[in-house]
Amino acid sequence: RPDAVFSRTTVRRDAEQARLIGVCAHAVMEQWDFNRPRTEICAVIEQTCRRYVAQDHLLANVTEDLTALFERFLSSEPYKRLQCATVLGREVPFVMPLGEGQIVEGVMDLMYRLDGRIWIADYKTDDVAAEDLQAIADRYRPQADNYSRAVASALGLPSLSFQFIFLRPGVAMDV
């Protein structure tokens, strides 16, 4: 049975690394000015990883993975769009009644205005192939619906736009 134990340990470590990459990527995006010189991203990544990654054996891997992720994302079309946008909020918390005594709580990664529209964006760090993007976006659709309802209700907006920004492939999916 040692193989079974090793297998579970490997999966747990990979899951922990994936979780840390997601936490760190969100922390980088929360503080990153989209018009800052791209060359400064490495310092922000390293500072963020030192803050969030306590395990020395994961620090180099998480830093390396995030560096590659942001190298691609900062060259992407969605990033160029964000550089033209007016940021309205980052890490915006909300609470919304859902009905029958239920509430929905969440934190919106980004709200911005571009071309006269209000957008909500949610960052995803999934390692996803282009052909699987729609299926992944569909899986996250309830999150998009809840965030959109919360913002539309709070701001009294008849409509707004929502997108998932997949950082790793540098693709945005409008929902």
Side-chain angles (χ1 to χ4, degrees):
R1 299 269 192 255
D3 290 339
V5 172
F6 179 77
S7 176
R8 274 185 267 135
T9 303
T10 301
V11 169
R12 190 177 319 124
R13 187 179 69 231
D14 291 345
E16 176 67 5
Q17 184 170 321
R19 186 191 69 75
L20 283 169
I21 288 166
V23 166
C24 290
H26 279 78
V28 168
M29 291 298 285
E30 181 179 3
Q31 62 182 305
W32 183 249
D33 178 338
F34 300 128
N35 292 302
R36 209 168 155 182
R38 288 177 53 169
T39 55
E40 296 178 14
I41 194 77
C42 288
V44 174
I45 291 168
E46 289 173 15
Q47 175 187 38
T48 301
C49 287
R50 280 195 304 273
R51 187 173 344 133
Y52 288 98
V53 182
Q55 303 89 342
D56 288 337
H57 68 280
L58 289 176
L59 185 60
N61 289 344
V62 172
T63 302
E64 181 180 319
D65 195 309
L66 282 172
T67 301
L69 179 151
F70 280 109
E71 184 176 302
R72 282 187 300 276
F73 179 65
L74 269 55
S75 299
S76 71
E77 284 304 313
Y79 184 73
K80 289 175 185 157
R81 252 177 80 84
L82 292 176
Q83 289 180 300
C84 299
T86 300
V87 173
L88 303 175
R90 295 173 189 254
E91 298 298 315
V92 179
F94 75 94
V95 177
M96 177 181 73
L98 192 58
E100 296 185 28
Q102 295 179 324
I103 60 168
V104 175
E105 295 182 65
V107 178
M108 294 174 227
D109 293 337
L110 180 68
M111 286 181 57
Y112 67 93
R113 179 180 291 121
L114 183 65
D115 299 330
R117 292 193 61 81
I118 302 288
W119 288 83
I120 302 167
D122 191 72
Y123 307 127
K124 298 298 182 192
T125 56
D126 302 58
D127 193 2
V128 59
E131 62 270 13
D132 298 329
L133 280 170
Q134 188 62 56
I136 300 294
D138 288 345
R139 189 177 77 210
Y140 290 126
R141 184 173 296 280
Q143 178 186 12
D145 293 342
N146 286 334
Y147 286 19
S148 296
R149 275 198 315 269
V151 172
S153 173
L155 298 180
L157 296 174
S159 70
L160 51 91
S161 301
F162 187 98
Q163 67 184 179
F164 290 112
I165 299 177
F166 291 92
L167 299 174
R168 198 171 293 281
V171 175
M173 296 284 299
D174 296 354
V175 179

CSV table of all heavy atoms in Angstrom, one decimal, residues 38-71:
chain,number,residue,atom,x,y,z
A,38,ARG,N,5.6,46.4,-17.1
A,38,ARG,CA,5.6,45.0,-17.0
A,38,ARG,C,6.8,44.4,-16.2
A,38,ARG,O,6.7,43.4,-15.5
A,38,ARG,CB,5.5,44.3,-18.3
A,38,ARG,CG,4.2,44.5,-19.0
A,38,ARG,CD,4.2,43.9,-20.4
A,38,ARG,NE,4.7,42.5,-20.3
A,38,ARG,CZ,4.7,41.6,-21.3
A,38,ARG,NH1,4.2,42.0,-22.5
A,38,ARG,NH2,5.1,40.4,-21.2
A,39,THR,N,7.9,45.1,-16.3
A,39,THR,CA,9.1,44.6,-15.7
A,39,THR,C,9.0,44.6,-14.2
A,39,THR,O,9.8,43.9,-13.6
A,39,THR,CB,10.3,45.5,-16.1
A,39,THR,OG1,10.0,46.8,-15.8
A,39,THR,CG2,10.6,45.4,-17.6
A,40,GLU,N,8.1,45.3,-13.6
A,40,GLU,CA,7.9,45.3,-12.2
A,40,GLU,C,7.1,44.2,-11.6
A,40,GLU,O,7.1,44.0,-10.4
A,40,GLU,CB,7.3,46.7,-11.8
A,40,GLU,CG,8.2,47.9,-12.1
A,40,GLU,CD,7.6,49.2,-11.7
A,40,GLU,OE1,6.6,49.2,-11.0
A,40,GLU,OE2,8.1,50.2,-12.2
A,41,ILE,N,6.5,43.4,-12.4
A,41,ILE,CA,5.7,42.3,-12.0
A,41,ILE,C,6.5,41.2,-11.2
A,41,ILE,O,5.9,40.7,-10.2
A,41,ILE,CB,4.9,41.6,-13.1
A,41,ILE,CG1,3.7,40.7,-12.5
A,41,ILE,CG2,5.7,40.8,-14.0
A,41,ILE,CD1,2.5,41.5,-12.1
A,42,CYS,N,7.7,41.0,-11.5
A,42,CYS,CA,8.5,39.9,-10.8
A,42,CYS,C,8.7,40.3,-9.4
A,42,CYS,O,8.6,39.4,-8.5
A,42,CYS,CB,9.8,39.7,-11.5
A,42,CYS,SG,9.6,38.9,-13.1
A,43,ALA,N,8.9,41.6,-9.1
A,43,ALA,CA,9.1,42.0,-7.7
A,43,ALA,C,7.8,41.8,-6.9
A,43,ALA,O,7.8,41.4,-5.7
A,43,ALA,CB,9.6,43.4,-7.6
A,44,VAL,N,6.7,42.1,-7.5
A,44,VAL,CA,5.4,42.0,-6.9
A,44,VAL,C,5.1,40.5,-6.6
A,44,VAL,O,4.6,40.1,-5.5
A,44,VAL,CB,4.3,42.6,-7.7
A,44,VAL,CG1,2.9,42.4,-7.1
A,44,VAL,CG2,4.5,44.1,-7.8
A,45,ILE,N,5.4,39.7,-7.6
A,45,ILE,CA,5.2,38.2,-7.4
A,45,ILE,C,6.0,37.7,-6.3
A,45,ILE,O,5.6,36.9,-5.4
A,45,ILE,CB,5.5,37.5,-8.8
A,45,ILE,CG1,4.5,37.8,-9.8
A,45,ILE,CG2,5.6,35.9,-8.5
A,45,ILE,CD1,4.9,37.3,-11.2
A,46,GLU,N,7.3,38.0,-6.3
A,46,GLU,CA,8.2,37.5,-5.2
A,46,GLU,C,7.8,38.0,-3.8
A,46,GLU,O,7.7,37.2,-2.9
A,46,GLU,CB,9.7,38.0,-5.5
A,46,GLU,CG,10.3,37.2,-6.7
A,46,GLU,CD,11.6,37.7,-7.1
A,46,GLU,OE1,12.2,38.5,-6.3
A,46,GLU,OE2,12.1,37.4,-8.2
A,47,GLN,N,7.4,39.3,-3.7
A,47,GLN,CA,6.9,39.8,-2.4
A,47,GLN,C,5.7,39.1,-2.0
A,47,GLN,O,5.5,38.7,-0.8
A,47,GLN,CB,6.7,41.3,-2.6
A,47,GLN,CG,6.1,42.0,-1.4
A,47,GLN,CD,5.7,43.4,-1.7
A,47,GLN,OE1,5.2,43.7,-2.8
A,47,GLN,NE2,5.9,44.3,-0.7
A,48,THR,N,4.7,38.9,-2.9
A,48,THR,CA,3.5,38.2,-2.6
A,48,THR,C,3.7,36.8,-2.2
A,48,THR,O,3.2,36.3,-1.2
A,48,THR,CB,2.5,38.2,-3.8
A,48,THR,OG1,2.3,39.6,-4.2
A,48,THR,CG2,1.2,37.5,-3.5
A,49,CYS,N,4.6,36.1,-2.9
A,49,CYS,CA,4.9,34.7,-2.6
A,49,CYS,C,5.5,34.5,-1.2
A,49,CYS,O,5.2,33.6,-0.4
A,49,CYS,CB,5.8,34.0,-3.6
A,49,CYS,SG,4.9,33.7,-5.2
A,50,ARG,N,6.4,35.5,-0.9
A,50,ARG,CA,7.1,35.4,0.5
A,50,ARG,C,6.0,35.6,1.6
A,50,ARG,O,6.1,35.1,2.7
A,50,ARG,CB,8.2,36.5,0.6
A,50,ARG,CG,9.5,36.1,-0.1
A,50,ARG,CD,10.6,36.9,0.4
A,50,ARG,NE,10.4,38.3,0.1
A,50,ARG,CZ,10.7,38.9,-1.1
A,50,ARG,NH1,11.2,38.2,-2.1
A,50,ARG,NH2,10.5,40.2,-1.3
A,51,ARG,N,5.0,36.4,1.3
A,51,ARG,CA,3.9,36.7,2.3
A,51,ARG,C,3.0,35.5,2.4
A,51,ARG,O,2.5,35.2,3.5
A,51,ARG,CB,3.1,37.9,1.8
A,51,ARG,CG,2.1,38.3,2.9
A,51,ARG,CD,1.4,39.6,2.6
A,51,ARG,NE,2.0,40.4,1.5
A,51,ARG,CZ,1.3,41.0,0.5
A,51,ARG,NH1,0.0,40.8,0.4
A,51,ARG,NH2,1.9,41.7,-0.4
A,52,TYR,N,2.7,34.8,1.4
A,52,TYR,CA,1.6,33.7,1.4
A,52,TYR,C,2.1,32.3,1.4
A,52,TYR,O,1.4,31.4,1.8
A,52,TYR,CB,0.7,33.9,0.2
A,52,TYR,CG,-0.2,35.1,0.4
A,52,TYR,CD1,0.1,36.3,-0.3
A,52,TYR,CD2,-1.4,35.0,1.1
A,52,TYR,CE1,-0.7,37.4,-0.2
A,52,TYR,CE2,-2.2,36.1,1.3
A,52,TYR,CZ,-1.9,37.3,0.6
A,52,TYR,OH,-2.7,38.4,0.7
A,53,VAL,N,3.4,32.0,1.0
A,53,VAL,CA,3.9,30.7,0.9
A,53,VAL,C,4.8,30.4,2.0
A,53,VAL,O,6.0,30.9,2.0
A,53,VAL,CB,4.5,30.4,-0.5
A,53,VAL,CG1,5.0,28.9,-0.6
A,53,VAL,CG2,3.6,30.7,-1.6
A,54,ALA,N,4.3,29.7,3.0
A,54,ALA,CA,5.1,29.4,4.2
A,54,ALA,C,6.1,28.2,4.0
A,54,ALA,O,7.1,28.2,4.7
A,54,ALA,CB,4.2,29.1,5.4
A,55,GLN,N,5.8,27.3,3.1
A,55,GLN,CA,6.6,26.1,2.9
A,55,GLN,C,7.7,26.4,2.0
A,55,GLN,O,7.5,26.7,0.8
A,55,GLN,CB,5.7,25.0,2.4
A,55,GLN,CG,4.6,24.6,3.3
A,55,GLN,CD,3.3,25.4,2.9
A,55,GLN,OE1,3.4,26.5,2.2
A,55,GLN,NE2,2.2,25.0,3.4
A,56,ASP,N,9.0,26.3,2.4
A,56,ASP,CA,10.1,26.6,1.6
A,56,ASP,C,10.1,25.8,0.3
A,56,ASP,O,10.5,26.3,-0.7
A,56,ASP,CB,11.4,26.4,2.4
A,56,ASP,CG,11.6,27.5,3.4
A,56,ASP,OD1,11.1,28.6,3.2
A,56,ASP,OD2,12.4,27.3,4.4
A,57,HIS,N,9.7,24.5,0.5
A,57,HIS,CA,9.8,23.6,-0.7
A,57,HIS,C,8.8,24.0,-1.8
A,57,HIS,O,9.0,23.6,-2.9
A,57,HIS,CB,9.6,22.2,-0.3
A,57,HIS,CG,8.2,21.9,0.2
A,57,HIS,ND1,7.8,22.2,1.5
A,57,HIS,CD2,7.2,21.3,-0.4
A,57,HIS,CE1,6.5,21.8,1.6
A,57,HIS,NE2,6.1,21.3,0.5
A,58,LEU,N,7.8,24.8,-1.5
A,58,LEU,CA,6.8,25.3,-2.5
A,58,LEU,C,7.1,26.6,-3.0
A,58,LEU,O,6.7,27.0,-4.1
A,58,LEU,CB,5.4,25.3,-1.9
A,58,LEU,CG,4.8,24.0,-1.6
A,58,LEU,CD1,3.4,24.2,-0.9
A,58,LEU,CD2,4.6,23.2,-2.9
A,59,LEU,N,7.9,27.4,-2.3
A,59,LEU,CA,8.2,28.8,-2.7
A,59,LEU,C,8.7,29.0,-4.1
A,59,LEU,O,8.2,29.7,-4.9
A,59,LEU,CB,9.1,29.5,-1.7
A,59,LEU,CG,9.3,31.0,-1.9
A,59,LEU,CD1,8.0,31.8,-1.8
A,59,LEU,CD2,10.4,31.5,-0.9
A,60,ALA,N,9.7,28.2,-4.5
A,60,ALA,CA,10.3,28.3,-5.8
A,60,ALA,C,9.3,27.9,-6.9
A,60,ALA,O,9.2,28.6,-7.9
A,60,ALA,CB,11.6,27.5,-5.9
A,61,ASN,N,8.6,26.8,-6.6
A,61,ASN,CA,7.7,26.3,-7.6
A,61,ASN,C,6.5,27.3,-7.9
A,61,ASN,O,6.1,27.6,-9.0
A,61,ASN,CB,7.1,25.0,-7.2
A,61,ASN,CG,8.1,23.9,-7.3
A,61,ASN,OD1,9.1,24.0,-7.9
A,61,ASN,ND2,7.8,22.8,-6.6
A,62,VAL,N,6.0,27.9,-6.8
A,62,VAL,CA,4.9,28.8,-6.9
A,62,VAL,C,5.3,30.1,-7.6
A,62,VAL,O,4.7,30.6,-8.5
A,62,VAL,CB,4.2,29.1,-5.5
A,62,VAL,CG1,3.2,30.2,-5.6
A,62,VAL,CG2,3.6,27.8,-5.0
A,63,THR,N,6.5,30.6,-7.2
A,63,THR,CA,7.0,31.8,-7.8
A,63,THR,C,7.3,31.6,-9.3
A,63,THR,O,6.9,32.4,-10.1
A,63,THR,CB,8.4,32.2,-7.1
A,63,THR,OG1,8.1,32.4,-5.7
A,63,THR,CG2,8.9,33.5,-7.7
A,64,GLU,N,7.9,30.5,-9.7
A,64,GLU,CA,8.1,30.1,-11.1
A,64,GLU,C,6.8,30.0,-11.9
A,64,GLU,O,6.7,30.6,-13.0
A,64,GLU,CB,8.9,28.8,-11.2
A,64,GLU,CG,9.3,28.4,-12.6
A,64,GLU,CD,10.1,27.1,-12.6
A,64,GLU,OE1,10.9,26.9,-11.7
A,64,GLU,OE2,9.8,26.3,-13.5
A,65,ASP,N,5.9,29.3,-11.3
A,65,ASP,CA,4.6,29.2,-12.0
A,65,ASP,C,3.9,30.5,-12.2
A,65,ASP,O,3.4,30.8,-13.3
A,65,ASP,CB,3.7,28.2,-11.2
A,65,ASP,CG,2.5,27.7,-12.0
A,65,ASP,OD1,1.8,28.5,-12.6
A,65,ASP,OD2,2.3,26.5,-12.0
A,66,LEU,N,3.9,31.3,-11.2
A,66,LEU,CA,3.2,32.7,-11.3
A,66,LEU,C,4.0,33.6,-12.3
A,66,LEU,O,3.3,34.3,-13.0
A,66,LEU,CB,3.2,33.3,-9.9
A,66,LEU,CG,2.1,32.8,-9.0
A,66,LEU,CD1,2.3,33.5,-7.6
A,66,LEU,CD2,0.7,33.1,-9.5
A,67,THR,N,5.3,33.5,-12.3
A,67,THR,CA,6.0,34.3,-13.3
A,67,THR,C,5.6,33.9,-14.7
A,67,THR,O,5.4,34.8,-15.5
A,67,THR,CB,7.5,34.1,-13.0
A,67,THR,OG1,7.8,34.5,-11.7
A,67,THR,CG2,8.4,34.9,-14.0
A,68,ALA,N,5.5,32.6,-15.0
A,68,ALA,CA,5.1,32.2,-16.3
A,68,ALA,C,3.7,32.6,-16.6
A,68,ALA,O,3.4,33.1,-17.7
A,68,ALA,CB,5.3,30.7,-16.5
A,69,LEU,N,2.8,32.5,-15.6
A,69,LEU,CA,1.4,32.8,-15.8
A,69,LEU,C,1.3,34.3,-16.1
A,69,LEU,O,0.6,34.7,-17.1
A,69,LEU,CB,0.6,32.5,-14.5
A,69,LEU,CG,-0.8,32.8,-14.4
A,69,LEU,CD1,-1.5,31.9,-13.4
A,69,LEU,CD2,-1.1,34.3,-13.9
A,70,PHE,N,1.9,35.2,-15.3
A,70,PHE,CA,1.8,36.6,-15.6
A,70,PHE,C,2.6,37.1,-16.8
A,70,PHE,O,2.2,38.0,-17.5
A,70,PHE,CB,2.2,37.4,-14.4
A,70,PHE,CG,1.2,37.5,-13.3
A,70,PHE,CD1,1.3,36.7,-12.1
A,70,PHE,CD2,0.0,38.2,-13.5
A,70,PHE,CE1,0.3,36.8,-11.2
A,70,PHE,CE2,-1.0,38.2,-12.6
A,70,PHE,CZ,-0.9,37.5,-11.4
A,71,GLU,N,3.6,36.4,-17.2
A,71,GLU,CA,4.3,36.7,-18.5
A,71,GLU,C,3.3,36.5,-19.6
A,71,GLU,O,3.2,37.4,-20.5
A,71,GLU,CB,5.5,35.8,-18.7
A,71,GLU,CG,6.3,36.1,-19.9
A,71,GLU,CD,7.5,35.2,-20.0
A,71,GLU,OE1,8.4,35.3,-19.0
A,71,GLU,OE2,7.7,34.5,-21.0
